[in-house]
Amino acid sequence: ARAKLPLLQGNSQDDNGTLGKGQLVWLERPMPHTFDVRTGTPLDVDGTVFDPFRPSNTPWKLRILDEGPDVMFSVADLDPQDDTIEVIASQFFSKKLSLHSIKLGLEPKVTFRRVIDDRCGAAFSSVLADLDGLTTMQQADAAHYPMVVDSGSTVVSLNSNDAFSHLLVTSHEC
């Protein structure tokens, strides 16, 4: 997510009352030109070992997937049987929490969006949590539980592919 903002002055509006804007963006990582046939090592156009951060491979192509998300988000797979992942986004500037379902593939795109809560105030973060103990139950039937892709926290509470039961949201309105 990225934000286009008025200078932050303790709120989400500039002097003219204009709200900041957020976008859910995808930075497309460049792909190697080829692979070494003997070792499988990824190679750049000039035959050197591929480095996606080399100046010749930057900047990465930016694609805007949706408008709205601006601060923090969690990534989940609400239906492991389909070809989408879901981004649950805290929207600080627009003061809401939203869900964006993204079809996976070479050209990812948002196929479904929904506002989860538009009364939460200036939401700052959302973290996936397993308060019901689903991770333990998940081992028997993993395909039927929502799974964590990225819990949205810098502190590891759940790992990728763990089940989750709740979404915890922080707001700057309290």
Side-chain angles (χ1 to χ4, degrees):
R2 71 175 180 175
K4 293 181 179 181
L5 52 120
L7 291 176
L8 290 178
Q9 300 169 350
N11 62 36
S12 59
Q13 298 181 6
D14 65 12
D15 293 337
N16 299 321
T18 304
L19 288 174
K21 293 181 180 179
Q23 294 176 318
L24 182 59
V25 298
W26 165 44
L27 294 171
E28 183 178 350
R29 182 177 182 261
M31 300 301 290
H33 177 68
T34 189
F35 293 87
D36 184 284
V37 293
R38 288 182 298 118
T39 65
T41 303
L43 301 174
D44 228 324
V45 174
D46 62 2
T48 60
V49 174
F50 175 74
D51 177 1
F53 301 104
R54 178 184 287 166
S56 62
N57 293 322
T58 60
W60 291 8
K61 186 174 183 177
L62 183 136
R63 296 174 194 240
I64 298 169
L65 295 175
D66 212 348
E67 300 292 327
D70 55 26
V71 182
M72 301 277 289
F73 56 88
S74 303
V75 183
D77 190 351
L78 297 180
D79 181 358
Q81 304 288 322
D82 70 10
D83 61 349
T84 64
I85 58 169
E86 285 69 35
V87 171
I88 303 166
S90 304
Q91 295 187 27
F92 182 82
F93 294 118
S94 56
K95 299 183 177 188
K96 58 185 157 188
L97 185 70
S98 61
L99 176 120
H100 307 260
S101 187
I102 302 170
K103 182 175 174 62
L104 299 174
L106 294 176
E107 298 284 331
K109 66 179 181 178
V110 173
T111 58
F112 175 82
R113 67 185 54 81
R114 173 80 32 96
V115 172
I116 298 172
D117 188 345
D118 60 0
R119 297 171 296 163
C120 61
F124 180 71
S125 71
S126 59
V127 177
L128 301 172
D130 181 15
L131 303 181
D132 290 345
L134 292 178
T135 298
T136 305
M137 294 184 288
Q138 169 193 21
Q139 294 167 355
D141 193 11
H144 293 90
Y145 290 101
M147 296 187 324
V148 173
V149 175
D150 184 324
S151 69
S153 176
T154 55
V155 177
V156 177
S157 56
L158 292 175
N159 296 309
S160 281
N161 297 321
D162 281 350
F164 69 95
S165 60
H166 289 76
L167 178 71
L168 308 176
V169 179
T170 60
S171 171
H172 286 271
E173 297 291 312
C174 299

